[in-house]
């Protein structure tokens, strides 16, 4: 078999269809989200050695101690963000592999994403470019500070877990805006929270238990 066809079984449309069937069974209902997951090549966001596992419903290592999120979590967080209609833009904290931002970019006009590890950011940008996803804007920084220049955001998605919700992110949410964020310690339990900004303050809903890498300080060149 020549090189080009190696791995075709693991990255084929059939394995993606199977993943989407599984997500549907597990309760993902948004058809647009399922369709985007079905047609986004997750294997391109993972090192070749692990690409054959790209369509399993599992988190996978992407280097630097970080992981690409589990497809179910990507689908669920995306679905939550879209629940009240399509926001004009989204801020994602924790670009990582760039997979979540790629999924968002096909559903939302503009995606702003912030990563603290430069090597991951460069890789993610390369994949976004090769997929011609032109509506993703990314920068290297500590995402706990958000991306103030582009604020306010009708939607914020945080893909690493702080112990407490960062004040700056709350401040950058527009009134009526929604933030999904895992909160908790690495060792202890984390829960996914949905925070909505009201004209007078914030409402918080606790969703399911989750397991994310920690939201860390600073950034690494
Ligand atoms: N959304 C990513 C998930 C990556 S894991 C994906 O689809 O692959 C979480 C990412 O958050 C890691 O890459 C980690 O480096 C990054 N991260 C952790 N703390 C951060 C911070 N304070 N600011 C920005 N990114 C952060």
């Amino acid at each position: 078999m020549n090189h080009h066809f190696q791995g075709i079984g693991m990255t084929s449309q059939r394995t993606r269809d199977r993943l989407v069937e599984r997500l549907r069974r597990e309760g993902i209902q948004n058809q647009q989200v399922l369709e985007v997951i079905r047609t986004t090549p997750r294997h391109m966001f993972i090192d070749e050695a692990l690409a054959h596992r790209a369509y399993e419903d599992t988190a996978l290592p992407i280097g630097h101690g970080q992981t690409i999120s589990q497809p179910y979590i990507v689908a669920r967080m995306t679905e939550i963000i879209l629940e009240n209609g399509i926001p004009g833009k989204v801020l994602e904290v924790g670009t990582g592999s760039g997979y979540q931002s790629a999924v968002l970019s096909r559903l939302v006009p503009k995606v702003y994403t912030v990563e603290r590890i430069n090597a991951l950011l460069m890789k993610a940008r390369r994949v976004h470019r090769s997929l011609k996803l032109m509506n993703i804007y990314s920068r290297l920084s500590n995402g706990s500070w958000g991306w103030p220049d582009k604020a306010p955001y009708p939607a914020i998605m945080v893909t690493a877990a702080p112990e407490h919700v960062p004040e700056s992110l709350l401040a950058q949410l527009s009134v009526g805006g929604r933030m999904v964020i895992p909160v908790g310690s690495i060792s202890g339990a984390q829960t996914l929270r949905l925070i909505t900004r009201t004209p007078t303050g914030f409402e918080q809903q606790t969703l399911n238990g989750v397991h994310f890498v920690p939201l860390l300080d600073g950034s690494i060149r």
Side-chain angles (χ1 to χ4, degrees), residues 3-4 21 26 28 40 61 75 93 123 130 147 157 169 183 195 218:
H3 178 73
H4 185 71
E21 268 324 302
E26 286 173 347
I28 304 300
T40 301
V93 176
K123 255 195 194 175
S130 75
W147 189 334
M157 184 188 290
L169 294 182
V183 181
I195 296 166

Side-chain angles (χ1 to χ4, degrees), residues 66-67 92 94-97 100 115-116 120 142-143 159 215-216:
Q66 307 305 318
T67 55
E92 179 198 29
T95 314
S97 68
Q100 173 74 74
E115 170 59 52
R116 68 180 283 280
L120 291 176
N142 177 356
T159 68
L215 189 79
L216 300 172

